[in-house]
Amino acid sequence: MKKVITYGTFDMLHQGHLNILKRAKELGDYLIVGVTSDDFDSRRGKINVQQSMMERVEGVKETGLADQIIIEEYEGQKIDDINRFGIDIFAIGSDWQGKFDYLSEFCQVIYLERTKGISSTKIRTKNNHLRLGLVGNAGRIWKVSNEALVINGIDIVGTSGNDGCDKRVSNLENFSFKDLIDKSDAIFIESNVRDRFEQVKYSLEHGKHVLCDLPMAIGKRKQQYLFEIAKKNGCVLMSGIKTAYSTAYYRLLLMVKSGEIGDVLSVETTCTSLSEVSKISSYSENNIWSAMDAWGATALMPIFQILGTDYIDRTIVTKSIDKYFDLFTKMDFIYENAVATAKVGKGIKSEGEMIISGTKGYVYVPAPWWKTEYFEIRYEDLNKKKRFFYELEGEGFKYELVNFLRAINHGRTINYTGDNVLKEVSRIYEEFYNRKDVNLI
Ligand code: C2G
């Protein structure tokens, strides 16, 4: 009698699992299925499992394919099992290709093709509506919850961090951070810049998908670390700069990259807002965002997306009130064949436009460019000017939420902003806060 063994978590048993069990069974006469214990899964970093071990064992049992079910409880158990049960073939999905070659010393090892397009992660969100928790400053959270209402498949669980002070979110329950994470499948984070890293990290570690404003972390290494935890836990980690998800902005990038204005020589962005800054003496206490915190990432994004992150030199000049509160900051970058400038202000006002200059023409995006609906491509010959208009509903949160939902359903992250852009933005914030090569005026 030929004995086959296979292992798995088998969370929310699906067609992929069924296929592998069938194929494994066909390899021999007797199939033993090792189902992971909850402890073993959490030790190996798989903490997003929805069903208890008993439910998962029941699922495997119901298939009628297993002649025997055992529990996998410790590292190294596979060798013991193979010897104990006199196994002829060890079978596992092709996502593990090569990882179990070491078992071939004890029996035959066969990797079976993994079923494409289906996974437990996908089912977790498909079965239920996505329960979305909102973390951060009330004013913005209100806008997000408003736009999320119209999206099919998203239920807002509540907020954390708004302290119930904003009447516009009074219909949403305010939870402690940990309670909110516990109750949600996915988290939207637009909190104070320096709180984000710990919040994103905690959410990912608890198997929750995260959509977070930029920067997510202060420092490139921390951003990289977040990518790694997301990957390990099978979570989507997406950047939440809403501009990146607007159709007009996306089209604009494509056109620039396809050479519509020739070679790009310069990118200039300006983002400013006037608020009650002048009346306030203590900024951090009053939860007012500084120029960099409110605008820095948005202003940097197109520069790094268009020209990349391999600049040769950069200069930052800032007019700051304290280490964490700048009123105005100007960042200049020099590339091998181009230059770029980002200007951000809080409590000063300027024209919030974006200009991308090329060897054949230039792109002009009028203020406020970060809510891009309209832009022009202009050439020396005025008659050749092209106008583009793509309506932006609301503030654009809707588009990023829809993309977030789609990424979760497809089980993969589509970062419109690019991982290297996210890392570079984090680096600039670190250098800025540390005043590394930053000029004060
Ligand atoms: N599988 C598949 N197709 C899918 C999903 C899963 O063929 N779309 C296979 C996997 O390759 C694995 C089995 O189904 O062989 C169980 O998958 P999981 O439940 O994800 O368990 P896993 O983490 O792969 O456990 O000791 C545990 C084992 O090493 C594997």
Side-chain angles (χ1 to χ4, degrees):
M1 187 172 68
K2 229 181 198 175
K3 276 186 159 182
V4 184
I5 197 162
T6 190
Y7 295 85
T9 305
F10 302 106
D11 191 23
M12 330 237 353
L13 201 107
H14 56 66
Q15 194 58 45
H17 296 140
L18 269 179
N19 292 347
I20 199 128
L21 291 176
K22 266 188 218 152
R23 288 184 204 137
K25 174 106 183 169
E26 281 162 16
L27 293 173
D29 310 296
Y30 192 83
L31 176 68
I32 302 179
V33 180
V35 178
T36 53
S37 73
D38 297 328
D39 276 345
F40 180 61
D41 267 334
S42 59
R43 276 203 306 278
R44 68 184 181 127
K46 202 167 176 175
I47 52 179
N48 195 17
V49 178
Q50 301 281 298
Q51 293 184 302
S52 68
M53 184 193 78
M54 278 163 68
E55 290 171 302
R56 293 182 285 112
V57 168
E58 280 311 308
V60 174
K61 217 181 253 174
E62 268 170 34
T63 66
L65 292 161
D67 296 290
Q68 191 176 345
I69 296 175
I70 57 164
I71 305 301
E72 185 181 22
E73 296 189 85
Y74 59 94
E75 193 69 49
Q77 187 183 321
K78 290 184 176 86
I79 297 176
D80 291 348
D81 290 343
I82 291 167
N83 292 331
R84 189 154 55 112
F85 295 112
I87 299 297
D88 302 288
I89 298 171
F90 169 87
I92 196 94
S94 54
D95 46 326
W96 292 97
Q97 191 70 43
K99 295 270 163 50
F100 291 108
D101 287 354
Y102 71 93
L103 293 175
S104 55
E105 204 184 319
F106 309 98
C107 68
Q108 193 184 348
V109 174
I110 298 183
Y111 298 99
L112 297 164
E113 199 181 331
R114 184 184 161 88
T115 308
K116 294 196 178 65
I118 181 129
S119 70
S120 305
T121 313
K122 200 165 165 180
I123 294 182
R124 273 173 216 138
T125 44
K126 216 175 203 168
N127 280 353
N128 329 314
H129 269 208
L130 185 76
R131 295 171 301 158
L132 183 70
L134 309 174
V135 175
N137 172 291
R140 289 156 173 271
I141 290 303
W142 166 72
K143 290 179 185 168
V144 180
S145 79
N146 234 15
E147 293 194 25
L149 279 180
V150 296
I151 301 170
N152 218 335
I154 294 187
D155 295 331
I156 304 285
V157 178
T159 59
S160 172
N162 83 62
D163 302 329
C165 58
D166 191 314
K167 293 274 181 302
R168 293 170 298 189
V169 284
S170 56
N171 58 326
L172 298 175
E173 205 174 329
N174 193 39
F175 297 98
S176 74
F177 177 71
K178 289 185 177 171
D179 280 351
L180 183 72
I181 303 305
D182 205 37
K183 289 181 162 47
S184 311
D185 305 313
I187 313 292
F188 175 91
I189 299 178
E190 195 157 343
S191 55
N192 291 333
V193 171
R194 283 173 303 283
D195 297 335
R196 290 179 195 161
F197 173 72
E198 288 300 332
Q199 292 169 339
V200 176
K201 180 168 165 275
Y202 185 90
S203 308
L204 293 172
E205 281 171 350
H206 288 78
K208 314 297 173 167
H209 306 289
V210 175
L211 176 63
C212 181
D213 195 10
L214 294 191
M216 293 183 192
I218 310 297
K220 205 170 172 171
R221 270 189 24 247
K222 285 191 171 170
Q223 177 64 63
Q224 176 60 30
Y225 181 63
L226 293 179
F227 284 139
E228 282 162 16
I229 322 176
K231 195 167 170 210
K232 187 170 142 214
N233 290 338
C235 295
V236 167
L237 174 61
M238 245 168 78
S239 86
I241 290 201
K242 57 186 189 313
T243 309
Y245 301 92
S246 85
T247 315
Y249 181 77
Y250 190 70
R251 294 288 295 127
L252 179 159
L253 279 190
L254 284 183
M255 280 182 208
V256 169
K257 288 193 172 159
S258 68
E260 277 281 330
I261 57 168
D263 298 332
V264 177
L265 291 177
S266 158
V267 179
E268 296 158 80
T269 59
T270 306
C271 304
T272 66
S273 50
L274 271 182
S275 64
E276 60 291 28
V277 169
S278 54
K279 294 183 214 140
I280 309 273
S281 52
S282 172
Y283 303 100
S284 40
E285 276 170 30
N286 285 283
N287 237 349
I288 292 182
W289 288 16
S290 69
M292 271 302 269
D293 288 1
W295 293 118
T298 304
L300 290 169
M301 180 178 70
I303 295 175
F304 294 148
Q305 281 180 312
I306 295 169
L307 298 175
T309 53
D310 290 331
Y311 50 84
I312 298 163
D313 201 6
R314 67 120 180 95
T315 318
I316 298 181
V317 182
T318 186
K319 179 164 178 54
S320 292
I321 283 171
D322 61 36
K323 184 178 173 201
Y324 292 118
F325 202 99
D326 59 313
L327 289 172
F328 178 74
T329 297
K330 182 169 178 283
M331 295 169 274
D332 288 300
F333 299 87
I334 298 174
Y335 290 80
E336 204 167 294
N337 293 305
V339 292
T341 300
K343 285 187 283 185
V344 293
K346 193 69 181 270
I348 90 148
K349 200 62 198 159
S350 183
E351 187 69 18
E353 62 191 9
M354 171 159 72
I355 301 170
I356 306 164
S357 315
T359 48
K360 290 188 193 154
Y362 69 99
V363 175
Y364 176 71
V365 192
W369 72 263
W370 53 91
K371 289 188 196 174
T372 315
E373 279 192 314
Y374 175 78
F375 64 93
E376 291 177 4
I377 298 189
R378 297 175 177 174
Y379 300 95
E380 185 101 307
D381 180 353
L382 283 177
N383 296 320
K384 285 195 178 151
K385 177 162 98 178
K386 294 183 198 156
R387 298 185 174 89
F388 299 88
F389 183 83
Y390 303 90
E391 199 181 343
L392 183 73
E393 282 179 53
E395 299 233 355
F397 286 117
K398 203 162 91 185
Y399 303 95
E400 69 175 40
L401 288 172
V402 167
N403 274 288
F404 185 44
L405 191 61
R406 202 172 293 151
I408 292 169
N409 287 337
H410 291 163
R412 69 193 172 98
T413 305
I414 315 141
N415 255 328
Y416 279 39
T417 1
D419 289 2
N420 59 335
V421 174
L422 266 61
K423 283 189 230 166
E424 196 56 37
V425 166
S426 297
R427 180 226 288 267
I428 296 287
Y429 275 79
E430 184 178 37
E431 293 178 352
F432 177 74
Y433 287 145
N434 292 337
R435 296 287 185 260
K436 182 170 178 275
D437 300 324
V438 171
N439 306 299
L440 308 177
I441 51 169

